[in-house]
Amino acid sequence: MTTIQQRQDEIIANIAQAAYKQPILSNGFLFEGDVRDNFYYASYLFAASVDSAITFEGDRVAAKAKAESVLLHLLQIQDQDPASSTYGHWPLNLRPSPQEASKNTLPVELMGSLMVYFAQRYQEQLSEALRVALETTLRHIYESNFYRKPLSSYGHHEAKYTAAKLIFGQRYGDAALVQDGYESLQLTRQRVTANGMTEYGGLPWFWHWVQAFTCAWQLIQDTEIRSELARMLDYLWSERATFYLGGAWVGPHARIWPHDMPKDTNVLHDYVQYGDFKLPTHMPRTEYAGFLAYEAPAQTIQTALERSSGPVEIKRQIPKQIGQAQHENDHLHSYVYITESFAMGGIWERIREFDNEQHRWDVAFPLDHVQGVNHGYFFHPDLEQPEGDLRHQSEYTEVLFHKQVIMASYDIPTGQPDYIKGCLPLGEWIETPNGLFGQIGNVYMAVYIQQAFKREVLEDRCFVTSQGSRNAVVVECIDQSQAELLEIRDVHHFAQLMNDKQPTYGATNTITYTSLLNQALLLSGDLAQGISKLIDGEVIDFTSYTVA
């Protein structure tokens, strides 16, 4: 088993090598799409050029010169006019040119604090020109006061402002700013530990919480504040461990991007902390995982890594947030069933989160147990969904979760897309007119679809579509050890058994199904008739759902 430092060095080496090979554009940058990538990649290249302990195949002198050149170009395009409305900021993308691109408030939020870390860690190895440029830039960030905002939503933006208050307050001897940051940190920790995070499973923004507070923890010298930062990070890593399975983030998400679903690829911080899966070659969000590290408590790591003692059910209350309105007693409810081989569940309530990126339910597999995508799910697409995107779900869905079964009904009104779409991992699949029965790693998975469907096998996934304004999907999974107890011999035997266990679909969008555990499940999603969700005739007890 490798150490955290060894895994960080591996990340630095891989990204530095990519940066070394990446051609310099005519404008002096490595990338035009996101200015922050220039900072991240140049930082890694610089680190590899000055640290002989890091494996690097290239000329270290040339690598350092290249890294410093990119960093100098980056610092030069900061708005350094105190009279400007975008004082202290950078453009997000560099088109049509770095000088003409409009400034954006996002880059400095995280990158500003990380620049302090970079300047302090490598102060002895920096050239005089870069050292002076960095100090000038950091002074402008401090004087821009971008971080002086009150707490309101307790989200990832404010987490970064809080860390910046501490970091810049300490750097420039601003005791009042440090105290403001400390009070904001205390209020934030108290809020999330008492109520939970409104940004449940919000990727990649969760990692911005982790990076911002880890950066502060590594820089802050005040022992009292550092202890409070440690308590905040202990909470964050406990939250991550709860929904962790071999690099996968299981359960529902308030927000996702294409690199979060249907395959977890934003995994560098998980790799550094846990190291129980292979480091991928594709790293879409490099950020500062190779530099920042806070080792989670042993019990937290055990929660994440040791799933062999048996399945667990995680039932959570989540504070609801719509825009900036916080409702103290208004909660969503998430459910996840986790085994050592798969996890499944989701969120009971539909809510239109920011950019309509709520991910309602799925089945997740550990990264190293699959080839290609590691999540399987279906949904009805929203009218605003971009072509080819497997996000942006509509509101016309009802769900029922119970252990290794997920039931979803789709009652689609006129004027909406009259089909559902789905994504399944690659595996050995047996297709019948009423469903798909497959083996993914050591997991058997049954997928019943009410209406006729079409499956397309792609390079890294199976893509499924099914037409009809009324539709339903029922999913049940078992692992091989459980299958053996049921005397299931192989995937063909499983398919035969499950094909005889078809759900019953009623006239009012009702689904009834008896699971392999012989539990009777009923989902009726007809708004006119009232919505029923019953397990063995009992209504789901949401009073058992807790904050943590």
Side-chain angles (χ1 to χ4, degrees):
M1 188 72 173
T2 56
T3 65
I4 283 179
Q5 186 61 61
Q6 287 171 328
R7 294 193 288 273
Q8 286 191 299
D9 287 349
E10 183 184 2
I11 289 172
I12 291 174
N14 286 10
I15 300 172
Q17 207 66 52
Y20 187 68
K21 295 177 180 177
Q22 179 81 12
I24 293 284
L25 301 172
S26 60
N27 57 24
F29 290 87
L30 293 170
F31 307 98
E32 285 188 325
D34 189 326
V35 72
R36 294 168 294 189
D37 286 334
N38 292 284
F39 174 62
Y40 302 141
Y41 275 71
S43 296
Y44 286 110
L45 184 59
F46 186 93
S49 75
V50 299
D51 188 347
S52 60
I54 294 172
T55 302
F56 183 70
E57 298 176 5
D59 184 322
R60 292 182 190 268
V61 174
K64 183 181 180 184
K66 182 177 183 179
E68 291 207 334
S69 175
V70 172
L71 290 169
L72 284 167
H73 276 85
L74 172 68
L75 301 182
Q76 289 167 2
I77 61 169
Q78 179 195 34
D79 185 342
Q80 298 185 350
D81 178 5
S84 171
S85 62
T86 56
Y87 177 44
H89 290 297
W90 277 265
L92 182 57
N93 67 69
L94 304 181
R95 301 184 184 97
S97 72
Q99 291 71 32
E100 296 173 281
S102 59
K103 301 297 189 289
N104 189 288
T105 59
L106 292 178
V108 76
E109 281 188 8
L110 183 61
M111 189 172 72
S113 293
L114 301 185
M115 282 181 171
V116 176
Y117 173 85
F118 179 82
Q120 184 166 316
R121 175 166 172 168
Y122 295 108
Q123 57 185 332
E124 299 300 325
Q125 292 99 338
L126 297 172
S127 68
E128 182 64 19
L130 183 54
R131 186 182 301 110
V132 170
L134 266 170
E135 182 51 55
T136 300
T137 292
L138 294 175
R139 170 64 71 168
H140 285 301
I141 293 175
Y142 166 63
E143 293 180 351
S144 75
N145 295 319
F146 81 90
Y147 41 76
R148 294 185 189 272
K149 295 182 176 65
L151 295 171
S152 60
S153 63
Y154 295 88
H156 65 283
H157 295 294
E158 292 169 9
K160 288 178 281 187
Y161 301 153
T162 296
K165 290 174 185 178
L166 294 170
I167 291 167
F168 284 93
Q170 175 180 274
R171 184 173 182 86
Y172 294 103
D174 189 333
L177 182 58
V178 171
Q179 184 61 28
D180 182 6
Y182 184 32
E183 291 173 1
S184 296
L185 173 64
Q186 292 174 305
L187 288 171
T188 299
R189 190 179 68 83
Q190 291 165 10
R191 170 60 70 95
V192 297
T193 54
N195 298 326
M197 300 180 75
T198 57
E199 297 174 319
Y200 54 93
L203 298 168
W205 299 274
F206 178 86
W207 295 126
H208 286 193
W209 283 72
V210 170
Q211 289 178 101
F213 289 127
T214 304
C215 185
W217 177 78
Q218 293 193 201
L219 292 174
I220 295 303
Q221 297 168 356
D222 184 287
T223 55
E224 186 178 338
I225 297 175
R226 201 163 187 263
S227 294
E228 183 69 7
L229 285 163
R231 287 188 283 271
M232 182 76 238
L233 289 164
D234 285 346
Y235 167 80
L236 291 171
W237 279 109
S238 175
E239 185 75 3
R240 177 65 192 107
T242 299
F243 298 100
Y244 181 84
L245 184 64
W249 193 305
V250 307
H253 302 279
R255 296 189 64 184
I256 54 170
W257 272 20
H259 53 53
D260 308 314
M261 195 67 58
K263 182 176 182 178
D264 290 284
T265 59
N266 184 12
V267 295
L268 295 188
H269 295 284
D270 282 333
Y271 182 74
V272 169
Q273 187 72 263
Y274 303 120
D276 63 332
F277 59 91
K278 184 180 178 181
L279 178 66
T281 54
H282 176 56
M283 295 179 279
R285 304 281 297 215
T286 55
E287 296 183 347
Y288 253 39
F291 297 112
L292 305 174
Y294 175 86
E295 187 169 4
Q299 182 57 54
T300 298
I301 294 175
Q302 182 177 356
T303 297
L305 298 183
E306 297 183 14
R307 298 289 187 186
S308 59
S309 58
V312 295
E313 292 178 279
I314 309 296
K315 301 177 179 181
R316 284 288 186 84
Q317 288 184 1
I318 298 168
K320 184 190 294 184
Q321 180 182 321
I322 305 174
Q324 295 300 314
Q326 182 72 52
H327 308 279
E328 294 286 353
N329 299 313
D330 198 358
H331 290 90
L332 309 174
H333 300 85
S334 73
Y335 174 92
V336 187
Y337 180 78
I338 307 177
T339 76
E340 64 178 329
S341 300
F342 67 89
M344 54 200 304
I347 195 155
W348 290 97
E349 298 90 357
R350 152 73 180 185
I351 183 171
R352 197 173 185 91
E353 306 279 7
F354 182 82
D355 275 358
N356 189 30
E357 290 177 355
Q358 184 191 52
H359 181 69
R360 194 78 181 272
W361 65 263
D362 71 30
V363 182
F365 302 89
L367 281 170
D368 285 355
H369 290 198
V370 296
Q371 296 293 324
V373 305
N374 67 311
H375 291 264
Y377 60 101
F378 283 75
F379 68 101
H380 175 249
D382 188 78
L383 276 172
E384 301 174 5
Q385 187 197 51
E387 184 66 29
D389 203 336
L390 287 173
R391 305 177 298 156
H392 305 294
Q393 306 181 15
S394 82
E395 62 192 271
Y396 307 109
T397 307
E398 289 298 335
V399 293
L400 190 153
F401 312 120
H402 183 62
K403 296 189 175 179
Q404 57 216 55
V405 177
I406 294 174
M407 301 167 67
S409 66
Y410 305 92
D411 191 0
I412 306 166
T414 302
Q416 294 288 325
D418 60 347
Y419 66 94
I420 60 174
K421 61 170 69 174
C423 179
L424 297 171
L426 298 175
E428 185 177 0
W429 287 98
I430 296 170
E431 187 172 326
T432 73
N434 300 311
L436 293 155
F437 308 98
Q439 182 173 2
I440 302 102
N442 65 341
V443 176
Y444 294 115
M445 183 176 182
V447 182
Y448 302 99
I449 306 172
Q450 181 180 4
Q451 305 293 348
F453 64 89
K454 178 183 177 182
R455 179 173 69 111
E456 184 180 1
V457 180
L458 304 177
E459 182 180 1
D460 66 342
R461 69 193 70 182
C462 297
F463 179 63
V464 184
T465 54
S466 179
Q467 301 289 328
S469 59
R470 281 200 168 183
N471 214 330
V473 173
V474 177
V475 180
E476 182 163 17
C477 294
I478 58 169
D479 61 25
Q480 281 185 315
S481 60
Q482 195 176 24
E484 288 172 1
L485 296 176
L486 298 173
E487 299 183 341
I488 295 173
R489 298 183 300 274
D490 53 32
V491 67
H492 298 280
H493 187 201
F494 174 73
Q496 181 181 2
L497 171 68
M498 300 304 283
N499 199 38
D500 293 337
K501 274 180 55 65
Q502 293 288 332
T504 301
Y505 306 106
T508 57
N509 224 42
T510 297
I511 315 169
T512 56
Y513 179 71
T514 302
S515 73
L516 285 167
L517 301 178
N518 287 320
Q519 292 180 297
L521 310 176
L522 178 137
L523 169 63
S524 175
D526 192 316
L527 293 173
Q529 300 295 321
I531 298 171
S532 299
K533 301 177 182 182
L534 305 177
I535 301 168
D536 286 336
E538 298 293 328
V539 178
I540 294 151
D541 178 17
F542 286 115
T543 62
S544 64
Y545 284 60
T546 59
V547 172

